[in-house]
Amino acid sequence: MAHGASLVARLPRVRGPYQPGAAIKDLTWFRAGGPAEVLYIPPDAEDLALFLKELSPDVPVTLIGVGSNLLVRDGGVDGVVIRLGRGFMNVTADPMNRLRAGAAALDVAVAKAALEAGLTGLEFMRGIPGTVGGGLRMNAGAYGREFKDVLVEALALDRRGARVRLTNTQMGFEYRRANAPADLIFVEAVFQAAPGEKPAIEARMNEITDARSSTQPIKSRTGGSTFKNPPGEKAWQLIDRAGCRGLRRGDAEVSTMHCNFLINHGKASGDEIEALGEEVRAKVKAATGIELEWEIKRIGKKGT
Ligand SMILES: Cc1cc2nc3c(=O)[nH]c(=O)nc-3n(C[C@H](O)[C@H](O)[C@H](O)COP(=O)(O)OP(=O)(O)OC[C@H]3O[C@@H](n4cnc5c(N)ncnc54)[C@H](O)[C@@H]3O)c2cc1C
């Protein structure tokens, strides 16, 4: 990785701050992994569009939301890591029972705005600890609903800073992924809801919150579900069957509470957590013949 300061000298002049060598582990739930060569926090879509338009095409760009499905490797991330700033956090309801949300808004904030507006259909978002942008990329979902079921359209910027509008179909949603071009940066989304009764909406959200805290290690340093559920199977059951519950590598552990979650008990490095995940994959393959696919996005290079 080149020294971040020398990359900054090559970057477009924009308002958003550049932070060379930023410890992006602090922006992830795992709290592990190496630095970004440069972290850029665009204050709004205008700044981001200008940045992308003027950025040399050879500089890699990596997006992070709140890092709830993200593992950073120890060698850090080359190029520019972007985390959307305050101007991407607005959530507003419109008269057509839709919610328009900036891509840096938390899913929880969207759920809360829906409750305040007396709109139902978005209660599941109460249980997902990520941003709208991360949810679009991951087709995040819980309790039988996912982004695919509620998205009207997404707005994005392409690698050259041009605005792109994507319908639900154009997002190419599948289980925990969107097939929309990988270089798109989502900046906004519009969700469809329906009129509902506030007490019922609130009760459902409370149910979801309670169910979460009793079944998932939500107060731990984790990345959520590590592996996708293979067709017709539950990843956690396969991991359990392979004897991996509680498996440890240093401070990295397969959660004893929900064994599709990996936990950093404090000092685990990004590479250690990834190696533990690979060990789980190998053991599951040996025990069941099934190859688990990572759901967690891993970014950056391994350390030395
Ligand atoms: C305790 C816990 C519980 C969880 N429960 C669930 C659950 O029930 N259901 C579920 O689906 N997920 C769950 N997750 C995973 C995670 O919350 C979701 O995948 C979430 O959508 C990720 O959002 P994020 O902002 O944290 O994205 P990040 O983890 O920061 O990034 C995830 C991916 O999205 C991309 N991305 C982020 N923002 C943008 C953007 N603006 N434009 C383009 N790409 C972007 C990143 O490049 C990366 O590839 C859980 C995680 C935790 C820690």
Side-chain angles (χ1 to χ4, degrees):
M1 185 188 299
H3 192 273
S6 62
L7 175 58
V8 169
R10 294 178 52 213
L11 297 178
R13 284 173 155 257
V14 287
R15 282 176 286 128
Y18 292 132
Q19 296 175 23
I24 51 171
K25 68 178 185 179
D26 297 336
L27 305 179
T28 69
W29 272 58
F30 270 126
R31 297 281 191 278
E37 192 172 352
V38 173
L39 174 68
Y40 161 52
I41 305 178
D44 52 38
E46 195 190 333
D47 203 62
L48 178 58
L50 179 67
F51 169 85
L52 292 166
K53 186 166 164 236
E54 296 190 357
L55 181 68
S56 168
D58 66 325
V59 179
V61 167
T62 307
L63 251 290
I64 60 171
V66 287
S68 62
N69 215 199
L70 202 66
L71 179 61
V72 183
R73 298 191 177 104
D74 292 344
V77 185
D78 285 342
V80 179
V81 171
I82 300 179
R83 193 191 215 213
L84 303 179
R86 293 208 161 272
F88 298 89
M89 290 182 188
N90 284 347
V91 184
T92 49
D94 75 12
M96 293 160 74
N97 305 319
R98 293 173 165 188
L99 283 138
R100 180 176 292 274
L106 291 173
D107 298 333
V108 172
V110 178
K112 200 165 155 234
L115 170 61
E116 276 162 16
L119 295 174
T120 184
L122 303 179
E123 289 84 344
F124 75 99
M125 286 178 140
R126 180 65 189 80
I128 303 173
T131 61
V132 165
L136 289 169
R137 179 49 72 195
M138 303 301 301
N139 186 21
Y143 302 101
R145 298 208 100 183
E146 50 191 11
F147 270 51
K148 176 175 172 280
D149 301 319
V150 292
L151 185 82
V152 178
E153 63 175 20
L155 288 182
L157 296 177
D158 70 15
R159 183 62 173 75
R160 285 176 302 191
R163 279 166 70 87
V164 181
R165 190 179 292 272
L166 297 111
T167 61
N168 184 307
T169 310
Q170 288 168 331
M171 285 294 293
F173 284 127
E174 285 177 24
Y175 167 56
R176 296 298 168 266
R177 65 175 290 163
N179 290 310
D183 66 347
L184 289 182
I185 299 179
F186 300 114
V187 294
E188 200 175 275
V190 179
F191 300 104
Q192 187 68 59
E197 296 296 327
K198 279 192 190 183
I201 299 166
E202 190 164 26
R204 179 66 187 134
M205 287 187 187
N206 290 340
E207 242 173 61
I208 287 174
T209 315
D210 293 347
R212 290 265 141 183
S213 46
S214 58
T215 56
Q216 294 183 356
I218 53 171
K219 298 220 162 71
S220 303
R221 297 172 176 199
T222 179
S225 292
T226 310
F227 303 107
K228 296 185 184 189
N229 289 325
E233 305 277 356
K234 297 266 183 227
W236 76 263
Q237 285 173 344
L238 299 172
I239 295 167
D240 215 8
R241 217 189 296 160
C244 296
R245 187 182 287 267
L247 190 68
R248 242 182 130 120
R249 257 185 200 228
D251 263 0
E253 187 189 47
V254 176
S255 167
T256 48
M257 185 185 202
H258 186 318
C259 57
N260 195 21
F261 280 50
L262 299 179
I263 307 286
N264 175 6
H265 282 292
K267 294 201 172 70
S269 74
D271 291 355
E272 259 174 336
I273 296 167
E274 183 173 26
L276 179 63
E278 286 300 336
E279 189 179 341
V280 169
R281 286 183 72 231
K283 285 191 186 310
V284 167
K285 176 87 194 318
T288 68
I290 295 173
E291 265 187 62
L292 291 176
E293 184 190 339
W294 283 87
E295 177 172 324
I296 287 178
K297 299 283 186 186
R298 292 155 297 150
I299 59 171
K301 322 174 281 209
K302 289 207 164 133
T304 45

